[in-house]
Amino acid sequence: MKTHAAVLWGRGEDWRIEEIDLDPPKSHEVLVKWAAAGLCHSDEHLRASDMGSAPPAEDAPPRPALFPMVGGHEGGGVVLEVGPDVDSVQPGDHVAASFFPICGRCKMCITGHSNLCDLGAATFAPGQISDGTARYHLGGQDLNVMAKLGTFAEHSVAHEASLVPVDPDVPLGVVALVSCGVTTGWGSAVYRAEVKPGDTVVVVGVGGVGINAVQGAKMVGARNIVAVDPVEFKQKAALDFGATHTAASMEEALPIVTELTRGQMADAVILVPSVMYGHLMSDALTLTGKGGTCVVTGVAPQQQTESSVNLFELAMYQKEIKGVVFGDANPRFDIPNLLALYKNGQLKLDELITRTYRLDQINQGYQDMLDGVNLRGVIAFD
Ligand SMILES: [Zn+2]
Ligand SMILES: [Zn+2]
């Protein structure tokens, strides 16, 4: 079939809307019609070349091409058709995209960390999960697909391991957000930082992901939640989502946290800047108290290998530094669970969607994200 997709032809280029050829679903594959796709920073990381592997050295052996690639990994849609052997969904089901496919059998899956499923290793590699061949083509050329999903398209053919069935009563725009950004932020606070009632928490960067770390911290009973962001509109929004204090920078947060905790400092610091850099660790660990946890959620350029950490204080104050991906959440449990909390009025999701765009407005949507005018932009399909 023919469908329209936003395709990235190379690093630093604009998204281009193309009419592409999509093959029917093969074994364990599902044809999905997307209703909404979230403009997550990860696709921009890929475009800006700080994710999805560094540009190859000139003498490096050839490797499978990352580009051209259909973008998008946050999505909410409806199953149109299923291929042979599919047993988890049927036509008409509403589904969320799962950035990481879930095999349900590997060590990480069966020990409750399916965000680290072995299938995730090939997230940026071309070809389908099922047999490594391409379902997406343009003018005879195979197209790669972001995270095996490609939600910046009217239709996708995805493996059932990448799709999570959801409650059909929940709006699909909201489903799209929970498929990545919301769960990543919420889980960073609840699961990875293990925020407890009475804790003091600092969230650095309160965009579409960080603001959900604020929500998560509030939900589990944090006493003080300091939202740090240079953008005033995001600081104000953070107060609506449960923050108790705001600051424009970690430097500005220092006296606030010192006073709130009488110098004990924060139980948890969660780093969700738009791009993570090593030098941010120094201020973050100054804000982290004895026995406290510093969680790194933000994505750093892949070449970033140095960071400023006072190793004496790390040991003597018994601080922890933890990386996290997808909030250490399990997509098949946490996506439906967060949507149920939303339905119950316990999680704010509608308020996250600042603007919606048509597919052909995607470059504007990403520019708005970089300009800091959106909590989250969403592409709405017809
Ligand atoms: Zn994402
Ligand atoms: Zn697995």
Side-chain angles (χ1 to χ4, degrees):
M1 68 181 288
K2 300 269 185 201
T3 194
H4 292 93
V7 177
L8 194 57
W9 286 87
R11 296 192 186 280
E13 295 194 15
D14 281 347
W15 295 96
R16 283 200 351 221
I17 309 304
E18 311 276 9
E19 189 181 64
I20 64 166
D21 295 302
L22 191 59
D23 296 340
K26 291 192 179 174
S27 176
H28 288 290
E29 292 179 346
V30 177
L31 173 65
V32 179
K33 184 179 190 325
W34 299 112
L39 296 175
C40 179
H41 206 121
S42 297
D43 294 273
E44 171 60 19
H45 282 303
L46 204 77
R47 197 186 73 86
S49 91
D50 48 20
M51 199 163 100
S53 78
E58 271 182 28
D59 55 353
R63 60 181 183 203
L66 189 62
F67 304 113
M69 176 186 268
V70 176
H73 63 280
E74 284 193 350
V78 181
V79 173
L80 285 189
E81 189 186 325
V82 297
D85 312 315
V86 169
D87 58 12
S88 58
V89 291
Q90 53 190 14
D93 283 357
H94 286 204
V95 289
S98 178
F99 184 74
F100 291 103
I102 310 133
C103 78
R105 293 175 196 176
C106 71
K107 174 186 165 187
M108 300 318 288
C109 275
I110 61 174
T111 54
H113 301 282
S114 52
N115 59 316
L116 297 172
C117 175
D118 289 351
L119 288 179
T123 296
F124 298 112
Q128 299 287 110
I129 290 170
S130 48
D131 64 3
T133 62
R135 303 288 168 273
Y136 298 70
H137 319 275
L138 177 57
Q141 183 176 10
D142 291 345
L143 302 174
N144 193 2
V145 185
M146 173 61 161
K148 313 284 185 198
L149 285 159
T151 59
F152 296 162
E154 293 159 339
H155 301 86
S156 285
V157 170
H159 195 280
E160 60 178 325
S162 299
L163 300 169
V164 176
V166 296
D167 185 338
D169 293 341
V170 176
L172 286 163
V174 160
V175 169
L177 298 191
V178 176
S179 84
C180 177
V182 170
T183 316
T184 297
W186 187 88
S188 293
V190 176
Y191 294 143
R192 203 62 176 139
E194 298 178 90
V195 174
K196 292 174 183 60
D199 275 359
T200 294
V201 181
V202 180
V203 180
V204 181
V206 286
V209 176
I211 200 144
N212 297 294
V214 170
Q215 288 211 81
K218 179 183 161 70
M219 196 179 281
V220 291
R223 181 162 52 95
N224 303 305
I225 303 171
V226 183
V228 178
D229 202 292
V231 180
E232 208 172 313
F233 141 74
K234 292 186 185 174
Q235 289 182 31
K236 286 210 178 93
L239 293 170
D240 296 333
F241 281 77
T244 56
H245 301 77
T246 59
S249 64
M250 285 195 269
E251 209 175 14
E252 207 180 292
L254 191 62
I256 299 171
V257 176
T258 304
E259 193 183 325
L260 286 170
T261 62
R262 299 179 185 230
Q264 294 283 308
M265 309 312 285
D267 300 286
V269 175
I270 301 168
L271 288 166
V272 204
S274 50
V275 182
M276 182 65 200
Y277 290 107
H279 67 83
L280 298 171
M281 291 305 292
S282 166
D283 283 347
L285 287 166
T286 303
L287 287 166
T288 308
K290 283 188 285 189
T293 304
C294 178
V295 171
V296 180
T297 306
V299 177
Q302 240 171 316
Q303 302 91 320
Q304 178 88 71
T305 54
E306 293 188 358
S307 95
S308 51
V309 173
N310 184 321
L311 297 172
F312 176 82
E313 289 183 8
L314 187 74
M316 292 304 117
Y317 296 154
Q318 216 169 294
K319 298 179 186 181
E320 275 187 292
I321 300 172
K322 291 181 176 180
V324 66
V325 66
F326 197 64
D328 199 22
N330 290 283
R332 285 196 189 282
F333 168 72
D334 284 289
I335 289 173
N337 188 47
L338 288 172
L339 293 174
L341 287 166
Y342 159 79
K343 246 179 114 175
N344 240 12
Q346 291 166 277
L347 188 74
K348 287 182 190 227
L349 296 177
D350 295 317
E351 297 85 344
L352 287 172
I353 302 175
T354 316
R355 282 181 183 77
T356 58
Y357 302 88
R358 294 189 316 268
L359 183 62
D360 61 6
Q361 295 173 314
I362 183 168
N363 291 303
Q364 183 61 47
Y366 270 114
Q367 191 56 50
D368 288 349
M369 181 195 78
L370 295 172
D371 292 343
V373 299
N374 287 347
L375 285 177
R376 195 54 125 199
V378 168
I379 292 173
F381 295 96
D382 298 332

